[in-house]
Amino acid sequence: MKFSIGGPLKLAFRPWVEGLENIPAEGPAILASNHLSFSDSFFLPAVLDRKVTFIAKAEYFTTPGIKGRMTAAFFKGVGQLPVDRSGARGAGEAAIKSGIDVIERGELFGIYPEGTRSPDGRLYRGKPGGLARVALATGAPVIPVAMIDTEKIQPPGKVMPKLMRPGIRIGKPLDFSRYSGMEHDRFVLRAVTDEVIYEIMKLSGQEYVDMYATAAKRQIADAAKAERQAQKEAEQAQKEADRQAQKELEARQALEKERSGS
């Protein structure tokens, strides 16, 4: 990945990086990042000397056909681990186990506390569970990471990426050893998650929204659906008004013709 993708990626986009010294040269660590773009999982590993393993939805690995096999090979090649998201609890447990396995191998584990990409560039509430439980179960340090402007490279609906310099800001490691053995306490999980999100917010400068990104996406989708429906109804009303106006015009013309004939 670093040679076939990482090299050209750095050459073309020239991402700037701050805080590389906060990544340990060896040993396990959790990289907790905001999530602005599909490309986040490529830009971050590209600028690091060490391998970073992220989790990815299982559909990327199981799609049939030639394209599906190529996609699966690509994600395996860049170190992505498949996680079945068909069941919320099962998906969470699978993600936690995958993260613990990566940490126990002494590697870097990448995770997005928001759980999904931001729909509008703002920073959303972190989901308690995956990040906090892996951190508390393993004792690995959590390193906050802020991706900057990656969402501007290829906005939704755009096929060709825009050549511009994204940024990556890496914060100092966070130690949560004070919560050791409390990985099943939901209040502790929330506290750990919120602390990490706060550090990401300071690094990224993003506006914080105290709701889950998944809920925000639903709201945006519902609002867009309502707007389309309202527009459709307005167009239908306009067509009906135009038809009624045409009928009235034709009626007047017929009346005038009848009067002129008499």
Side-chain angles (χ1 to χ4, degrees):
M1 182 274 184
K2 292 185 182 296
F3 288 104
S4 64
I5 299 176
L9 205 65
K10 289 192 291 184
L11 183 63
F13 294 94
R14 299 180 299 116
W16 56 266
V17 188
E18 295 178 1
L20 273 176
E21 67 277 5
N22 294 320
I23 302 294
E26 58 183 20
I30 301 169
L31 305 184
S33 172
N34 60 339
H35 199 10
L36 299 173
S37 168
F38 175 79
S39 62
D40 293 337
S41 299
F42 305 125
F43 276 112
L44 180 57
V47 301
L48 302 180
D49 292 332
R50 299 183 58 186
K51 174 184 177 181
V52 183
T53 300
F54 287 88
I55 55 176
K57 59 183 180 180
E59 291 87 338
Y60 288 142
F61 299 82
T62 58
T63 303
I66 297 176
K67 183 178 179 180
R69 290 196 294 270
M70 292 178 63
T71 300
F74 171 78
F75 277 93
K76 290 176 182 177
V78 297
Q80 304 275 326
L81 294 176
V83 172
D84 184 1
R85 305 194 304 182
S86 57
R89 183 171 180 81
E93 293 299 327
I96 292 166
K97 184 180 184 304
S98 296
I100 291 174
D101 290 344
V102 171
I103 293 300
E104 288 181 344
R105 294 199 300 266
E107 300 174 1
L108 299 178
F109 176 59
I111 190 169
Y112 300 111
E114 293 168 277
T116 186
R117 279 177 282 176
S118 170
D120 54 15
R122 296 185 294 176
L123 183 67
Y124 285 83
R125 194 181 194 201
K127 289 192 171 183
L131 164 66
R133 284 182 59 186
V134 173
L136 299 184
T138 63
V142 178
I143 302 175
V145 177
M147 307 301 295
I148 312 292
D149 291 336
T150 52
E151 81 282 9
K152 297 177 182 178
I153 292 176
Q154 192 171 13
K158 297 292 184 180
V159 178
M160 294 299 295
K162 178 181 179 182
L163 287 178
M164 59 173 291
R165 295 191 70 189
I168 302 172
R169 193 171 284 130
I170 303 169
K172 296 185 179 299
L174 303 174
D175 178 16
F176 294 106
S177 59
R178 62 189 183 278
Y179 296 125
S180 178
M182 304 174 70
E183 61 267 25
H184 297 292
D185 187 316
R186 62 188 181 93
F187 296 106
V188 170
L189 296 180
R190 170 49 61 195
V192 170
T193 305
D194 287 347
E195 183 174 338
V196 174
I197 288 289
Y198 179 71
E199 292 300 321
I200 293 174
M201 182 186 70
K202 291 197 299 182
L203 291 169
S204 68
Q206 291 171 278
E207 177 187 349
Y208 175 72
V209 184
D210 193 23
M211 68 183 298
Y212 293 126
T214 49
K217 285 184 175 182
R218 284 195 297 269
Q219 287 186 359
I220 292 173
D222 290 344
K225 182 179 179 180
E227 183 178 353
R228 289 193 300 270
Q229 181 63 28
Q231 183 177 358
K232 182 179 179 180
E233 291 175 355
E235 290 174 352
Q236 290 176 341
Q238 184 61 50
K239 289 180 180 179
E240 182 59 31
D242 291 343
R243 284 195 295 268
Q244 187 62 34
Q246 182 63 30
K247 288 181 179 179
E248 293 176 357
L249 176 60
E250 291 173 353
R252 285 198 302 270
Q253 289 175 340
L255 181 60
E256 292 173 359
K257 183 177 180 181
E258 181 180 345
R259 286 176 178 175
S260 62
S262 61

